[in-house]
Amino acid sequence: MKVRTRYAPSPTGEPHLGNIRTALYAWLLARHHGGTFILRIEDTDQKRQVGGGVEAQMSALRWLGLEWDEGPDVGGAFGPYVQSQRLEIYAQHADRLLRNDHAYLCYCSPERLEQVRHEQQARREPPRYDRFCRSLAPEQREDFEAQGLTPVIRFKTPLSGETATHDVLRGSVVFQNDTLDDFVLVKSDGYPTYHLAAIVDDHLMEITHVIRGEEWLPSAPRHFLVYRAFGWKPPLIAHVSRILGPDRAKLSKRHGAHSVLEYREQGYLPDAVINFLALLGWSLDDHTDIISRQTLVEHFDLKRLIPNPAVFNAEKLLWMNGVYIREMDADGLAAAVRPYLEDAIGGRVDMELLGRVIPLVRERIKLLNEIVDMADFFFTDGPLAYDVATLLGKKFAGRLEDALGALDRVIGRAEAVEVWTHEALEDAIRPLAEEAGVKAGDLFGLVRVAVTGKTATPPLFETMEVLGRETTLERLRSARARLAAAAG
RNA sequence: GCCCCCGUCGUCUAGAGGCCCAGGACGCCACCCUUUCAAGGUGGAGAUCGCGGGUUCGAAUCCCGCCGGGGGCACCA
């Protein structure tokens, strides 16, 4: 059997990590079996349409490399792939249920439904539709029609017995039918609800495996009943658990980014996000954490999915991103990091220079955007922004004259360096520490701030080498001048 | 209120009766390396396997009860 899976977002906003994880599992399953991955847009709620929602979903998938084989933009043999374009199909299927006596027209107003719910709650009963229209006399119906009321179509849920659903992660989950109510299949605006549209589409599109959020588990019996009413065989359904915030509540903005697109902006790598998300509820074995996309595709298996909710561990994602950054080749990393740099300095970056900077920063950044903090001074002209206190640091605090003297000697030695390499620079400058009676690290700290404006940087002499003779000397002299000015 | 799901180190997880007085990873601590920051190396702390009963020679693993957490109960998905 050919495996066909789908990611079926409703375009009400940008996709969050939970959404994308279901997309990832669906994609992995399809790719693992050489099957088909489908993108379907579930836009059946006219009130919740958000502009750009579809584009946001697509760009998230594209960024992560979860390419789809059939979908709104690429088409396919089972289209259209946008539910609002399939209204005719749902209407026909709703009609079929009506004729089979599996559904009925309901004329109850929202006000009446609201009232019924209120009364039930007052009586401490579960709020459910009271089935008022389930057995309407023909003349009553004509009366409602005459009043110009537009009905909804409701499913005729069995009043007794039980419905067994099957979930890939949990096995059989049984529901008593008397705890279910007659849910709406088609709204009064003619649009289907999820309970009709998703079932019809999954069947018509020959979906073999449905991967969706756990929040759907309570409505699974409805879906099984609809499949049965149509005489269809349900696909295998896997309800994936939720991703929780550190407080075990719903993941929200406070816990980092909400949209996966924000992770892209911050400089997370697609492979790292994929790897991390895959491991939230799935495992390869008992010891592997870094797993390539290819390995994921080769070994992904529904059997290793677990049903318990996972708390989002932002530190681990960050660590993993660092691992992937360190594994990137130099050109790739340079290209990835470039936009962040150009954005920060407001101009074009010299790629030849960047190429020499990369080896210095690669193992010092965990996020692409950290390139700015770590290396912007390589790309800026003009005076660096730091104050004298930072320049002096702890060791030279209150010892302006000593610092001035030390800097003078550093400048002298640096000027005398013939071949501008980090080895030559270190050979020239390191001995100065002993001569000046300070620890090498303290002297280097002074020079570091002078040359970079920062206290945490890549190794000093390599930095000076890449910066070049001219810039380095200019910055050293500038620092000297500031000290002299401070000394009066 | 009713229905459903879940419950192993702080977190992600391995574990499908003896290999587990519970393994790996992130984070944390210490030491090593070291010019800062990282990266790397070594070692360490950290879980009475939610609790209580069973079953069994033997249970994290099977059964029952309880507790805790989460989700659902729309003309939203």
Side-chain angles (χ1 to χ4, degrees), chain A residues 194-259:
Chain A
Y194 176 92
H195 307 306
L196 205 223
I199 274 60
V200 168
D201 285 349
D202 285 340
H203 178 258
L204 261 27
M205 294 180 182
E206 296 177 11
I207 301 299
T208 56
H209 303 257
V210 169
I211 291 162
R212 48 147 60 155
E214 190 186 10
E215 64 274 17
W216 288 108
L217 192 54
S219 46
R222 298 171 166 187
H223 305 151
F224 276 77
L225 286 168
V226 173
Y227 279 112
R228 196 192 298 162
F230 278 123
W232 296 337
K233 182 174 176 281
L236 236 36
I237 305 181
H239 291 99
V240 181
S241 68
R242 302 173 59 91
I243 299 179
L244 272 25
D247 50 6
R248 299 216 129 249
K250 200 164 137 191
L251 193 58
S252 75
K253 208 135 200 157
R254 291 185 297 108
H255 309 126
H258 179 70
S259 161

Side-chain angles (χ1 to χ4, degrees), chain A residues 1 53 57 99 101 140 165 239 318 327 382 391 395 428 482:
Chain A
M1 181 178 64
Q57 295 289 342
R99 288 198 313 270
D101 199 31
Q140 277 178 296
T165 68
H239 291 99
L318 190 60
E327 281 179 355
L391 180 59
K395 280 298 167 215
R482 292 192 215 193

Side-chain angles (χ1 to χ4, degrees), chain A residues 96-308:
Chain A
R96 181 165 148 196
L97 291 181
L98 240 22
R99 288 198 313 270
N100 291 347
D101 199 31
H102 278 116
Y104 61 93
L105 298 174
C106 168
Y107 296 86
C108 293
S109 67
E111 293 73 30
R112 192 186 100 78
L113 297 177
E114 182 62 24
Q115 194 197 329
V116 168
R117 262 194 294 272
H118 258 242
E119 288 167 6
Q120 287 166 329
Q121 270 160 2
R123 274 182 266 124
R124 314 191 131 227
E125 287 171 10
R128 282 200 282 264
Y129 177 56
D130 64 358
R131 301 188 159 116
F132 181 81
C133 296
R134 180 155 167 152
S135 46
L136 225 46
E139 41 293 358
Q140 277 178 296
R141 196 172 64 231
E142 280 161 30
D143 189 37
F144 286 138
E145 289 285 347
Q147 288 174 42
L149 298 177
T150 18
V152 301
I153 300 175
R154 284 184 186 272
F155 186 77
K156 235 178 201 178
T157 303
L159 301 174
S160 60
E162 56 185 35
T163 298
T165 68
H166 186 267
D167 173 66
V168 173
L169 317 197
R170 288 162 264 255
S172 171
V173 181
V174 179
F175 294 80
Q176 295 303 314
N177 289 337
D178 59 15
T179 64
L180 272 24
D181 67 354
D182 291 352
F183 52 95
V184 173
L185 296 167
V186 178
K187 302 177 248 185
S188 57
D189 63 5
Y191 279 68
T193 61
Y194 176 92
H195 307 306
L196 205 223
I199 274 60
V200 168
D201 285 349
D202 285 340
H203 178 258
L204 261 27
M205 294 180 182
E206 296 177 11
I207 301 299
T208 56
H209 303 257
V210 169
I211 291 162
R212 48 147 60 155
E214 190 186 10
E215 64 274 17
W216 288 108
L217 192 54
S219 46
R222 298 171 166 187
H223 305 151
F224 276 77
L225 286 168
V226 173
Y227 279 112
R228 196 192 298 162
F230 278 123
W232 296 337
K233 182 174 176 281
L236 236 36
I237 305 181
H239 291 99
V240 181
S241 68
R242 302 173 59 91
I243 299 179
L244 272 25
D247 50 6
R248 299 216 129 249
K250 200 164 137 191
L251 193 58
S252 75
K253 208 135 200 157
R254 291 185 297 108
H255 309 126
H258 179 70
S259 161
V260 308
L261 265 12
E262 290 172 49
Y263 286 91
R264 174 174 63 183
E265 282 164 32
Q266 287 173 36
Y268 283 91
L269 265 21
D271 281 358
V273 173
I274 293 283
N275 189 161
F276 177 78
L277 247 26
L279 256 17
L280 238 43
W282 181 85
S283 58
L284 177 62
D285 52 35
D286 62 348
H287 63 277
T288 314
D289 280 285
I290 301 300
I291 310 172
S292 72
R293 186 178 299 253
Q294 189 194 342
T295 305
L296 244 21
V297 168
E298 274 168 28
H299 296 277
F300 185 74
D301 181 358
L302 251 21
K303 288 200 199 74
R304 294 194 66 87
L305 239 29
I306 55 171
N308 36 338

Side-chain angles (χ1 to χ4, degrees), chain A residues 22 67 93 130 166 271 372 420:
Chain A
T22 59
E67 75 287 349
H93 283 85
D130 64 358
H166 186 267
D271 281 358
V372 176
W420 195 260

Side-chain angles (χ1 to χ4, degrees), chain A residues 3 33 44 49 154 173 192 274 291 302 321 331 342 400 458:
Chain A
V3 169
H33 291 285
T44 56
Q49 294 309 319
R154 284 184 186 272
V173 181
I274 293 283
I291 310 172
L302 251 21
N321 206 59
D331 288 346
E342 297 194 330
L400 262 172

